[in-house]
Amino acid sequence: MSSERGKEYGEGSSSSPPTTTTTPSRYESQKRRDWNTFGQYLKNQRPPVALAQCNFNHVLEFLRYLDQFGKTKVHVQGCMFYGQPEPPAPCTCPLKQAWGSLDALIGRLRAAYEEHGGSPETNPFASASIRVYLREVRECQAKARGIPYKKKKKSSKASNTNTNHDDSTTNTCSSSSSSGMMHFSTP
């Protein structure tokens, strides 16, 4: 090491040595936390699930598990405030994860899976079942809170295909309120 270089980066110098590490962005930090949380969730399963054995069912179970930590009031169909965006009084309906939070979480986990060596073809976070689940959550929460959801217009061929598929999803959504979607109810 030359004395010039020592002076350049030594004490009293306003310059700092070049570093290869940078502070991760908020997105990168959240993605790392989400990935670690999901990994811990798999380890806590009985029996523990290896990441290589993880499939979309584990992801769906994880999303349902997260509902217990939610902060969004989602009225059940029997609630007198069902469909009202601003209910006038409190009720006993459960708090759940908001659809937007779950959608963002899945996006980060999908990216993290591939960054950790997973193949896009086997990515459980990119499964069609996950997309259907998220669409059902979005629609159910919108109905429960009285918020109309307007679909974006697509080409006529895509609209016809999506409309037919969405009809079956909506029926599933309505029938899933007692088993899948509204599974956390307050006694």
Side-chain angles (χ1 to χ4, degrees):
M1 177 186 240
S2 72
S3 61
E4 282 294 313
R5 187 169 181 186
K7 285 181 185 177
E8 185 178 336
Y9 298 119
E11 277 187 90
S13 171
S14 61
S15 299
S16 59
T19 59
T20 57
T21 59
T22 59
T23 303
S25 69
R26 184 172 176 234
Y27 170 80
E28 291 296 329
S29 297
Q30 186 65 53
K31 183 168 56 172
R32 184 179 64 248
R33 277 193 302 274
D34 293 340
W35 182 252
N36 291 338
T37 301
F38 183 71
Q40 192 60 49
Y41 172 81
L42 292 177
K43 286 179 189 173
N44 290 339
Q45 297 303 294
R46 296 291 169 238
V49 178
L51 189 59
Q53 306 306 314
C54 173
N55 62 39
F56 71 90
N57 286 318
H58 297 106
V59 177
L60 290 173
E61 290 169 12
F62 178 65
L63 294 176
R64 291 183 183 116
Y65 160 78
L66 292 176
D67 267 342
Q68 67 184 308
F69 307 111
K71 298 176 186 171
T72 300
K73 178 74 73 170
V74 179
H75 300 288
V76 294
Q77 287 186 345
C79 177
M80 63 183 178
F81 301 130
Y82 182 82
Q84 294 185 24
E86 296 181 30
C91 68
T92 59
C93 291
L95 295 173
K96 301 171 89 69
Q97 290 289 336
W99 165 78
S101 299
L102 294 176
D103 187 51
L105 170 68
I106 289 299
R108 290 188 300 268
L109 289 172
R110 180 187 305 154
Y113 179 85
E114 293 175 17
E115 287 173 9
H116 285 86
S119 164
E121 292 79 25
T122 61
N123 190 333
F125 304 101
S127 164
S129 298
I130 303 302
R131 288 191 301 274
V132 168
Y133 176 80
L134 289 174
R135 184 171 46 238
E136 288 176 357
V137 169
R138 180 186 65 206
E139 291 172 358
C140 287
Q141 288 187 2
K143 286 179 186 175
R145 295 169 57 211
I147 300 169
Y149 173 73
K150 296 193 168 111
K151 295 179 184 174
K152 294 179 182 176
K153 296 289 182 185
K154 294 183 181 178
S155 68
S156 60
K157 183 179 178 184
S159 290
N160 291 340
T161 305
N162 286 342
T163 302
N164 294 338
H165 185 68
D166 286 348
D167 288 343
S168 64
T169 302
T170 302
N171 293 338
T172 304
C173 181
S174 298
S175 65
S176 69
S177 64
S178 63
S179 61
M181 293 305 303
M182 302 293 177
H183 61 283
F184 290 111
S185 60
T186 308

